Each structure stands twice: as structure tokens, then as C-alpha cells.
Amino acid sequence: MSLRLLLPLFALLPPGCLHAGDWMLSEGQQSLYSSLSLSRADSYWDDRRDLQRDDCTSRDWRADLHYEYGYSYYRTLFAATSFERDACGDQRSVGIPDVKLGMRGRVDPFRNSYSWELALIVPVNGDRVDRRKPGIGLFGIEAGLFRTYRDDPYEKPFTVLTRGIWGWGLGVTLWGEGAGHELWGELNWRRRLNRDWRFKSWLSGRYALAGDRVGADDIFSSRKSIDYDELTLGGRFTRRLSRGTSLGLSLEQALWGRNTSQDTSLQLELYRSWD
């Protein structure tokens, strides 16, 4: 089964949440995901979940890079990072928050799309502005379980399926140095529209347990809280450009939350795979 026919299926990468996904690569196969996104917010939810007007309008740019390698039939290795430029009023923050290194494995040896994930998050220089990530500047460990439902246990390629497909992901991120640990999950639905076009929608949620740290920097203390939750709705159209290459455009909107901003994010994505 060719990975090049399946690349739009395995990516479980909503903006701002670089989880590896459910799809397993065969031995020696490789894939690369890159994206550029813009997020804007002028309001936030306070600790009582009431929506408040912010004292400035945030405009945040983010570039993501995600690489995967099929180490064996049972193990897929991955690495991910991002470069961010966040701004709110006259405050600026630019840098690489962290690097994620991990492994994905099969829960069912006969299914490519039922897998577990384990990753180490290594801080680089942190990001003082962005309220979307609670453990900034800290080491973390992430564990997740992912599943996409199809009739065939040998995983028919997405290109031959005409009906919609449901999937989900559940996981936890454990942070060090007193930061609140984070629970996250996603319910998604995807459909092949025609030979070249795909559509995916998702509803994702995050919930952070209260920790000792509330605010990573005094200057931005009004924009960051470790104890928070968030519910987000997103959608993506993906077009196959050539064998092994796809281009995607996604829109994501924060629907509800606590101690987090009401972000609207637009993201341009490029997928590439090879043997």
C-alpha cells in the first residue's frame, strides 16, 4: 500500500497542536509536514469563563515543521518544532518554543490507523506571549492514543473510500516544575470529495490541571495562565498536487474556554512523502 496515496489521511495536525497522528509508516518510508499560520484575537475568557475584551489585539505568526520516519513495521519515529512571532500591542516575542521527539506504535498489528504515541518535549527558548501553550519553557512528556475507523482491517487507501470516516485522539501532557498537566482530545471526520480533494473537520478540547505556576513572565502575566481549558472547531480542505505531495488550507476557531484567548487561526499546509 503506497504511503503517497494515504498521506492526507494520517495527518492529525490541527493548528497549534502538533500531535503526531494515527497513521503508521512502513519501514523506510518518510514524510514531511510544514505549515504557516496566522492567529488573531482581541478577546479572552477569564477564570469564570466570561468573555472579556483584551487590552490589545494579538496577531501571531507560526511556522510548523513535522518529520516522520518508518523505523519498522511496528514503530514510526517523529520530530516536530515551530518558529513563532507573537505580538500584542507594543509587546513582541520571537523564537522556537520547544522541540518534540517521539515514537508511535501499533495497538492492533493489522491496522495502520490505531496507534499509541509517546513523546519528549524539550524546551528551547519559550514564548512569553502565546496563551495557547501552558508549559512554555519546561520539559514535558506526552502520551496519546489515536484511532480512525474503516471497515477493512487491512486499511483500504483513502483514495478509494467515498464515504466519511470518523476518528479520535486522546492524550495527556505532563509538565515539570510546577506547571499544570494537560489533558487533550479530538473528534474528527474526513471525507474524500473527488480524486484530488479531501475535507476534514474536527472538534478539539484541552484542559489543564491547576499548577503552582500561573504566568511565565510578569510582563505578560495577563496573557498566560497554567490553569485553563479550551474548546476549538476547525476544518481543512486538502488538494493533491502530485503523487506524494498535497496542499491544505485550514481555519480554526476557539469556541469556548477559561483563561485563554478567543483565537481565530488560518493555516496553509504542505504535505510531502517518499519511500
Side-chain angles (χ1 to χ4, degrees):
M1 182 186 304
S2 174
L3 169 67
R4 294 167 180 168
L5 297 176
L6 293 162
L7 186 58
L9 179 60
F10 82 84
L12 187 63
L13 295 166
C17 191
L18 271 179
H19 302 303
D22 58 356
W23 195 257
M24 297 295 300
L25 305 188
S26 296
E27 184 175 352
Q29 291 181 325
Q30 300 177 68
S31 70
L32 187 67
Y33 163 90
S34 59
S35 69
L36 180 64
S37 64
L38 170 64
S39 298
R40 181 185 182 277
D42 56 12
S43 301
Y44 69 96
W45 288 280
D46 61 20
D47 57 0
R48 295 176 298 178
R49 299 186 176 88
D50 294 327
L51 190 62
Q52 306 286 350
R53 178 69 64 174
D54 213 336
D55 53 1
C56 59
T57 299
S58 64
R59 294 179 177 86
D60 304 338
W61 291 90
R62 172 179 174 135
D64 291 317
L65 188 64
H66 183 102
Y67 170 77
E68 298 201 0
Y69 173 72
Y71 179 75
S72 69
Y73 180 81
Y74 292 99
R75 299 290 184 268
T76 293
L77 307 180
F78 62 87
T81 191
S82 64
F83 179 84
E84 301 180 10
R85 179 189 182 276
D86 300 333
C88 190
D90 59 354
Q91 305 293 343
R92 300 287 187 275
S93 180
V94 179
I96 300 174
D98 50 48
V99 174
K100 182 183 293 186
L101 305 171
M103 176 186 296
R104 189 161 66 250
R106 297 175 185 269
V107 176
D108 184 336
F110 300 106
R111 291 189 178 274
N112 286 335
S113 59
Y114 188 18
S115 61
W116 54 264
E117 168 198 320
L118 186 63
L120 174 67
I121 302 172
V122 181
V124 179
N125 63 0
D127 186 314
R128 299 169 299 170
V129 177
D130 192 349
R131 285 185 293 185
R132 293 171 297 174
K133 298 179 67 176
I136 289 173
L138 304 177
F139 282 92
I141 297 176
E142 182 176 274
L145 186 66
F146 300 91
R147 177 73 185 272
T148 298
Y149 293 92
R150 283 189 267 349
D151 295 334
D152 187 352
Y154 294 98
E155 311 299 345
K156 289 181 180 178
F158 191 45
T159 51
V160 303
L161 294 175
T162 57
R163 59 179 177 77
I165 302 173
W166 288 95
W168 53 263
L170 292 172
V172 60
T173 305
L174 306 177
W175 298 104
E177 299 183 22
H181 305 314
E182 181 182 2
L183 306 176
W184 46 266
E186 177 185 294
L187 178 66
N188 60 73
W189 181 84
R190 65 197 83 183
R191 183 181 177 88
R192 170 181 176 261
L193 303 178
N194 56 38
R195 181 177 179 272
D196 294 321
W197 285 93
R198 314 284 185 267
F199 173 74
K200 177 181 175 180
S201 61
W202 62 86
L203 182 66
S204 61
R206 296 186 294 168
Y207 177 78
L209 306 176
D212 298 332
R213 293 176 39 149
V214 180
D217 192 297
D218 291 338
I219 297 176
F220 301 105
S221 60
S222 64
R223 293 183 50 79
K224 183 172 294 297
S225 175
I226 298 300
D227 184 15
Y228 83 111
D229 43 66
E230 182 181 52
L231 187 66
T232 303
L233 179 67
R236 173 190 296 124
F237 284 97
T238 304
R239 189 184 192 282
R240 186 173 69 98
L241 302 179
S242 63
R243 189 173 179 85
T245 304
S246 298
L247 186 67
L249 182 66
S250 64
L251 179 66
E252 190 175 51
Q253 176 64 55
L255 301 178
W256 173 86
R258 177 172 56 92
N259 291 330
T260 190
S261 56
Q262 190 184 34
D263 287 314
T264 301
S265 301
L266 183 67
Q267 181 159 303
L268 182 65
E269 306 157 343
L270 179 66
Y271 307 85
R272 175 66 181 165
S273 67
W274 64 96
D275 295 328

